[in-house]
Amino acid sequence: MRRREFITLLGGAAAAWPLVARAEQGAIPVVGFLHSASPGPFASALAAFRHGLSETGYTEGQNVAIEYRWAEGQYDRLPALAADLVRRQVTVIAAIAGSAPAQAAKAATTSIPIVFVSGGDPVSAGLIASLNRPGGNVTGVSWTATVLVPKQLELLRRLTRNPAVIGALVNPSYPDHDFQVRELEEAGVSLGQKIDVVRAATAHDIDTAVVSLVQQGAGALIVANDPFFVSRRDQIVTLVARHTIPTMYFSREFTAAGGLLSYGANLIDATRQGGIYTGKILKGAKPADLPVWQPTKFELVINLKTAKALGLEVPDRLLALADEVIE
């Protein structure tokens, strides 16, 4: 082969490489992963999502690609992030951590399937028509954190001997904020418990809110469901310990970090189920045909070491109800 012919052949092959690569990439489905918080605090949940995908036969980097978009706790960034995933023509969007990612995704597309993982009510959030028959292009996992508020308050009161005032930390930027406040107020009325709601949308706000509760004489605290609070769990747990405020949380991640007690569904398992649903859709299932997955068990986790540090004696009957006791 002459040198000029060889160079021409080589150049043609080199020019074809990107086309081959794009063709190969096009054969691999792409999951758009849209999350309302930051990757670091949700590393375990992300691993659970990948595990759920693998249970349906999909492994990242082998037969599926994942495009990650993190809002870093800034919910107003979600619409632009969702629109970017739609422009990239991903195969399915996994909208994780609250209803806001799924709402942003739903506003951006009516054709790309969407799988949500949220602790809120997907029907009242306008995501689906009903739990059994979602309809449209949206389905997912609802781990019903907000509706557990009455039970959380009841358990907190039993451990803290019915304090006169219980504070409630909520995020005004969270889409379910109004519903959360209403649930807290109604639960307070039914229990005859005064609830003092304080609001925090930033790390600095959390410091200010807790100090405000201390000044107002709150004898305990309940933290409302919000992915931002999960991402700030170390800050919250440290702060309430410093001010000796017994606190109820909505997920085990807080008690594992040193929080007093939590009551709710398993966040990691819920996210794994989101991965499974995403895999099912990659295999051809239609969102409208997949009923919303809901947990059948809620976990009460008590941290005895923290209780001792707060000078609290956990009643035997409460210990007997616990699914996990951290010592």
Side-chain angles (χ1 to χ4, degrees), residues 65-137:
I66 304 179
E67 285 275 347
Y68 296 98
R69 299 293 183 274
W70 301 86
E72 307 284 344
Q74 301 175 47
Y75 296 117
D76 57 356
R77 293 181 56 195
L78 287 166
L81 295 174
D84 182 49
L85 290 173
V86 172
R87 281 193 300 271
R88 293 175 181 270
Q89 297 183 325
V90 297
T91 313
V92 57
I93 296 176
I96 311 294
S99 57
Q103 288 171 328
K106 185 178 181 181
T109 179
T110 57
S111 57
I112 297 175
I114 298 166
V115 175
F116 63 80
V117 177
S118 171
D121 179 359
V123 177
S124 64
L127 295 175
I128 56 172
S130 71
L131 296 174
N132 289 330
R133 297 179 179 274
N137 64 319

Side-chain angles (χ1 to χ4, degrees), residues 181-242:
V181 172
R182 187 165 62 249
E183 284 284 301
L184 285 161
E185 291 174 344
E186 291 177 356
V189 169
S190 67
L191 293 170
Q193 174 67 60
K194 182 179 179 182
I195 305 294
D196 188 358
V197 176
V198 292
R199 294 166 173 82
T202 66
H204 176 71
D205 290 347
I206 293 172
D207 291 338
T208 303
V210 172
V211 170
S212 173
L213 285 175
V214 172
Q215 293 173 343
Q216 294 170 32
L221 172 66
I222 181 171
V223 175
N225 166 48
D226 179 22
F228 171 67
F229 291 152
V230 176
S231 69
R232 302 301 307 177
R233 60 185 178 270
D234 290 336
Q235 176 192 0
I236 296 171
V237 167
T238 300
L239 195 58
V240 298
R242 183 184 308 151

Side-chain angles (χ1 to χ4, degrees), residues 6-22:
F6 175 77
I7 292 174
T8 301
L9 179 62
L10 183 64
W17 289 339
L19 298 177
V20 174
R22 282 197 293 271

